[in-house]
Amino acid sequence: RVRLRGTIDAVSGDTLRITLRNGDKASAVLPAQLRVTWLIPAKPTDIAKGSYIGTAAIPQPDGTLRALEVQVFPPSMRGVGEGTHPFDVAPGSTMTNGTIGSLVAVHGRTMTVLYKGGEKTVVIPDGVPFVSYAPADRAALTPGAHVIVSGVRAGDAGISANSVLVGKDGLVPPMGLVIA
């Protein structure tokens, strides 16, 4: 799997050209079955016990996770990526997706994320961005839009994309910009 994070320069036929966050240029082939999804702002109050969420986070010495961002999934995405896995946002970072078992707002915010085979306690510092998802189509792929392209290597052609997250109305996807 490959992730490209950057800004769309152009879309030509089935090719997406982007400038990566480090300034390099990249391209992705867009297959007919491409999934395109808006990334939209969310708020902490969008989360309740039973909500399905994801969080990129950094493990802490006490065993908790310190959230770098929080994704509030719509009901249609329940179960996506469930569990805790290494993530490529920062050295040692993880992505944990699961159901909220508890949410406490004392001295910051703490939530328990439950998933098959385990649970994690996540501390959400003030200022951590919250996002959610909404349906989109290829019309969302416009120059200047901030994107995260997921796919597989396709030789010299860059990558073959299977999904593109597009920041709606200029939103910059936080899962691509946070470095601890």
Side-chain angles (χ1 to χ4, degrees):
R1 291 195 52 157
V2 176
R3 266 187 216 88
L4 301 176
R5 296 172 172 96
T7 304
I8 296 176
D9 294 324
V11 180
S12 303
D14 289 333
T15 302
L16 177 69
R17 297 193 196 312
I18 67 173
T19 298
L20 302 177
R21 63 185 182 181
N22 67 4
D24 290 349
K25 301 292 184 174
S27 64
V29 175
L30 306 175
Q33 69 278 16
L34 178 72
R35 285 186 328 269
V36 180
T37 306
W38 285 121
L39 199 59
I40 59 175
K43 338 179 254 315
T45 55
D46 293 335
I47 298 175
K49 185 173 181 176
S51 294
Y52 192 76
I53 65 96
T55 183
I58 300 292
Q60 300 300 289
D62 65 0
T64 64
L65 298 175
R66 179 178 46 87
L68 301 172
E69 53 81 24
V70 177
Q71 302 167 44
V72 183
F73 293 111
S76 64
M77 292 179 72
R78 182 173 288 279
V80 169
E82 184 173 12
T84 190
H85 317 278
F87 199 54
D88 62 353
V89 170
S93 66
T94 62
M95 176 58 73
T96 301
N97 291 2
T99 302
I100 296 298
S102 66
L103 184 62
V104 179
V106 177
H107 305 292
R109 296 167 292 214
T110 302
M111 62 183 174
T112 302
V113 181
L114 309 171
Y115 52 88
K116 290 179 186 151
E119 68 179 54
K120 295 286 184 187
T121 299
V122 181
V123 177
I124 309 166
D126 289 339
V128 165
F130 284 73
V131 294
S132 191
Y133 298 86
D137 58 30
R138 285 179 183 241
L141 303 177
T142 59
H146 301 280
V147 295
I148 298 176
V149 180
S150 295
V152 295
R153 287 254 172 248
D156 293 339
I159 72 164
S160 176
N162 54 35
S163 68
V164 181
L165 292 175
V166 183
K168 189 168 186 177
D169 299 327
L171 178 77
V172 178
M175 351 16 156
L177 297 176
V178 180
I179 301 296

